[in-house]
């Protein structure tokens, strides 16, 4: 196809891309409060832990539907956006932004936006929904406990109740915390071997690759060795080449599936409803091998299927390998030396730590693309909320504690999936919680929640990584639909939960007392534990 013909096609595509986003905003964006003091008569009060992408979105949905929120963030204001505020500026979405609409009100400029645009949209939603005065930065959550009130109802207290009682908890600590380092001999500040063979050149984590502490001279023209083959490793290779690295080598302990940044292909993969490797999965894998991996077929994973682990979404890495800009080495890093990295180089199809040939790869810069530590949820009463067999990710709808429906962990139980994190489901899960707060009849019992987990485990028995360790967006949709179908009494909430339609602040009355006197009582007495229960809301007020 000629270049002259491509220009109008690209222009039409961009117009359609923007049009669809505006249509989504028109249909699904919940109205933000017009003043920081709104909502004046909330239906209840929710504590949101973590001011990352999921936390900001969850809090925005709560306040849009007339629930008061307090947003707790352990880090400073600069860390609004969570992991996105800490990654390299070249880090971008692993899926098309149409599949990463963490809130209906976002308006992307690019199909695959990078860090600054993502953090910019998170910040815009945070400000638009009046979350700025409701956010407590530099406030680590150390305890969350349920207490009985004088009136016989129970509420949650965060950090011993400094912010008053809450009706529900949304834990949004995510899956990426502090940068994780691989400890190897020969690293500075570690005991070296007898000959003092220590790597004294530049050694950084992938999250620091484009930070101010790493100058242009540090990377430009140098040989960069990246340890790690996941999304962080692939992005580190891109960042190093963008900064002018003379040569880049990736050391990969395991081969990862790499799928293209193509909205049609990625959507089809996410539409697989079974959430596990199936007999016909080889069709997708063969297609990728001949289309995506042509010329570098040796990099196709031999020991794992496409639907067993989260694939890396990238269209540039394999061309870098094909062109020779990046050298791919399959092996296990043994130690650092004064000249580089000692590696156990293995054949394709072998498992980590299998016998191979040792080789020293010289390096001027070593980048540890070894991911991030999993954040702790130790502030929750884990022995009470997550009994044996029902810990993360084996939760009700993969996000609710099976012992208490008022504890939601959106994206905090996530392990592996295709096309799920960061989409509309953040709002859907939040609205399920709000529905359960508003309608006692819709609430599941602990027995029913455990039964749901047991049934999913039975259906997906034999799935590598566990029944709930990997799922697709189609499977997630099935979960959310059956949440209504298995309990027909919940169908009246269907359009609210799935689309966000309805449940707004009641119209103010010019005379008489507010119908929401009970649920608004905490505004005057928020330091008291016996704030009125959310059950005080009359159903006709939210219909």
């Amino acid at each position: 196809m000629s270049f002259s013909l491509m220009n109008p096609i690209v222009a039409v595509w961009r117009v359609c891309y923007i049009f669809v986003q505006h249509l989504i905003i028109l249909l699904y964006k919940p109205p933000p409060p017009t003043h920081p003091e709104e909502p004046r008569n909330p239906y209840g009060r929710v504590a949101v832990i973590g001011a990352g992408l999921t936390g900001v979105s969850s809090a925005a949905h709560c306040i849009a539907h007339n629930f008061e929120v307090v947003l707790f963030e352990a880090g400073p204001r600069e860390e609004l956006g969570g992991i996105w505020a800490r990654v390299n500026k070249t880090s971008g979405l692993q899926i098309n932004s149409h599949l990463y609409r963490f809130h209906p009100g976002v308006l992307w400029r690019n199909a695959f936006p990078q860090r600054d645009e993502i953090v910019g949209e998170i910040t815009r939603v945070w400000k638009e929904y009046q979350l700025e005065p409701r956010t407590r930065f530099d406030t680590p959550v150390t305890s969350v406990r349920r207490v009985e009130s004088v009136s016989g109802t129970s509420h949650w207290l965060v950090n011993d109740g400094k912010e008053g009682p809450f009706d529900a908890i949304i834990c949004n600590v995510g899956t990426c915390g502090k940068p994780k380092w691989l400890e190897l001999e020969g690293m500075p500040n570690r005991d070296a071997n007898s000959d003092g063979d220590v790597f004294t050149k530049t050694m950084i984590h992938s999250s620091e690759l484009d930070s101010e502490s790493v100058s242009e001279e540090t990377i430009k023209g140098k040989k960069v060795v990246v340890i790690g083959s996941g999304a962080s490793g692939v992005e580190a290779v891109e960042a190093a080449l963008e900064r002018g690295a003379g040569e880049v080598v990736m050391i990969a302990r395991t081969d990862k599936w790499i799928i293209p940044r193509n909205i049609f292909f990625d959507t089809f993969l996410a539409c697989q409803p079974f959430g596990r490797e199936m007999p016909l999965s080889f069709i997708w894998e063969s297609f990728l091998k001949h289309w995506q991996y042509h010329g570098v077929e040796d990099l196709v994973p031999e020991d794992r299927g496409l639907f067993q682990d989260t694939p890396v979404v990238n269209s540039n890495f394999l061309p870098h390998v094909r062109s020779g800009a990046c050298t791919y080495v399959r092996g296990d890093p043994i130690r650092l030396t004064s000249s580089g990295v000692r590696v156990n180089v293995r054949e394709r199809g072998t498992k980590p730590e299998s016998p191979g040939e040792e080789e020293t790869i010289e390096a001027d810069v070593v980048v540890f693309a070894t991911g991030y530590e999993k954040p702790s949820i130790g502030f929750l009463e884990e022995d009470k909320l997550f009994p044996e067999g029902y810990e993360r990710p084996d939760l009700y709808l993969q996000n609710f504690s099976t012992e208490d429906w008022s504890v939601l962990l959106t994206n905090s139980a996530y392990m592996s999936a295709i096309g799920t994190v960061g989409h509309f489901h953040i709002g859907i899960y939040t609205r399920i919680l709000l529905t359960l707060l508003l309608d006692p009849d819709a609430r599941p019992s602990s027995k029913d929640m455990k039964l749901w987990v047991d049934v999913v485990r039975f259906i997906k028995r034999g799935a590598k990584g566990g029944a709930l360790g990997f799922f697709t967006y189609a499977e997630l949709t099935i979960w959310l639909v059956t949440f209504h179908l298995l309990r027909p009494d919940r169908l009246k909430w269907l359009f609210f939960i799935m689309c966000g339609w309805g449940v707004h602040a009641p119209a103010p009355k010019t005379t008489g007392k507010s119908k929401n006197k009970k649920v608004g009582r905490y505004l005057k007495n928020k330091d008291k534990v016996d704030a009125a229960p959310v059950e005080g809301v009359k159903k006709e007020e939210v219909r």
Side-chain angles (χ1 to χ4, degrees), residues 224-241:
V224 178
V225 174
V226 176
I227 299 176
S229 58
S232 297
V234 168
E235 290 179 350
V237 169
E238 286 191 278
L241 291 172

Side-chain angles (χ1 to χ4, degrees), residues 110-322:
N110 299 291
F112 290 91
Q114 295 182 323
R115 181 199 67 187
D116 291 347
E117 184 178 352
I118 296 168
V119 173
E121 283 300 289
I122 295 172
T123 303
R124 188 176 63 78
V125 171
W126 179 69
K127 290 181 177 180
E128 184 178 11
Y129 282 83
Q130 306 293 346
L131 297 176
E132 190 166 3
R134 292 172 165 85
T135 305
R136 308 292 181 259
F137 290 111
D138 298 307
T139 307
V141 172
T142 56
S143 68
V144 176
R145 59 189 178 92
R146 186 178 275 288
V147 295
E148 295 292 330
S149 68
V150 176
S151 61
T153 59
S154 61
H155 290 85
W156 293 101
L157 294 184
V158 177
N159 291 350
D160 295 323
K162 295 179 181 179
E163 291 290 339
F166 294 96
D167 298 295
I169 303 293
I170 305 180
C171 177
N172 297 140
V173 298
T175 58
C176 297
K178 297 179 180 178
K180 181 166 60 177
W181 290 79
L182 179 65
E183 296 293 329
L184 297 173
E185 289 189 15
M187 295 174 67
N189 303 320
R190 281 180 57 94
D191 293 333
N193 60 4
S194 57
D195 58 5
D197 199 9
V198 177
F199 186 77
T200 58
K201 302 175 187 177
T202 304
M203 186 182 71
I204 58 177
H205 190 268
S206 58
S207 60
E208 305 172 291
L209 195 52
D210 63 356
S211 66
E212 294 180 357
S213 61
V214 180
S215 65
E216 182 178 351
E217 291 73 24
T218 302
I219 305 295
K220 191 171 183 179
K222 303 296 177 62
K223 184 173 183 179
V224 178
V225 174
V226 176
I227 299 176
S229 58
S232 297
V234 168
E235 290 179 350
V237 169
E238 286 191 278
L241 291 172
E242 188 174 289
R243 297 198 67 179
E247 183 181 355
V248 178
V249 178
M250 171 183 278
I251 300 174
R253 294 186 75 245
T254 58
D255 298 323
K256 304 286 188 182
W257 279 102
I258 301 175
I259 62 177
R261 284 176 166 168
N262 182 293
I263 186 171
F264 299 109
F265 184 82
D266 299 351
T267 300
F268 280 128
L269 287 181
C271 285
Q272 205 259 56
F274 304 105
R276 61 179 297 176
E277 193 74 3
M278 297 295 290
L280 296 181
S281 297
F282 77 91
I283 296 176
W284 292 111
E285 295 162 8
S286 298
F287 181 73
L288 279 173
K289 180 177 180 180
H290 292 93
W291 177 38
Q292 176 82 338
Y293 283 84
H294 65 88
V296 286
E297 289 84 0
D298 183 61
L299 273 61
V300 175
E302 190 176 78
D303 59 343
R304 67 180 62 196
L306 179 59
F307 293 95
Q308 291 179 212
D309 195 8
T310 302
V312 177
V313 185
N314 191 283
S315 296
N316 299 322
F317 175 72
L318 294 180
H320 286 321
V321 177
R322 273 192 291 267

Side-chain angles (χ1 to χ4, degrees), residues 455-519:
V455 169
V456 172
R457 281 196 285 220
F458 176 77
I459 293 174
K460 296 180 65 176
R461 60 192 183 281
K464 291 188 177 181
L468 291 160
F470 178 91
F471 61 100
T472 63
Y473 204 86
E475 183 182 359
L476 174 61
T477 302
I478 292 172
W479 297 351
L480 298 174
V481 170
T482 54
F483 171 82
H484 295 86
L485 296 182
L486 295 178
R487 288 278 300 273
D489 56 318
R490 294 173 179 160
L491 288 174
K492 59 192 174 187
W493 297 99
L494 176 65
F495 290 106
F496 169 61
I497 290 175
M498 301 302 289
C499 304
W501 297 339
V503 188
H504 302 303
K509 297 183 68 175
T510 55
T511 60
K513 296 181 179 180
S514 169
K515 291 193 293 181
N516 291 304
K517 182 178 179 181
K518 279 190 175 182
V519 293

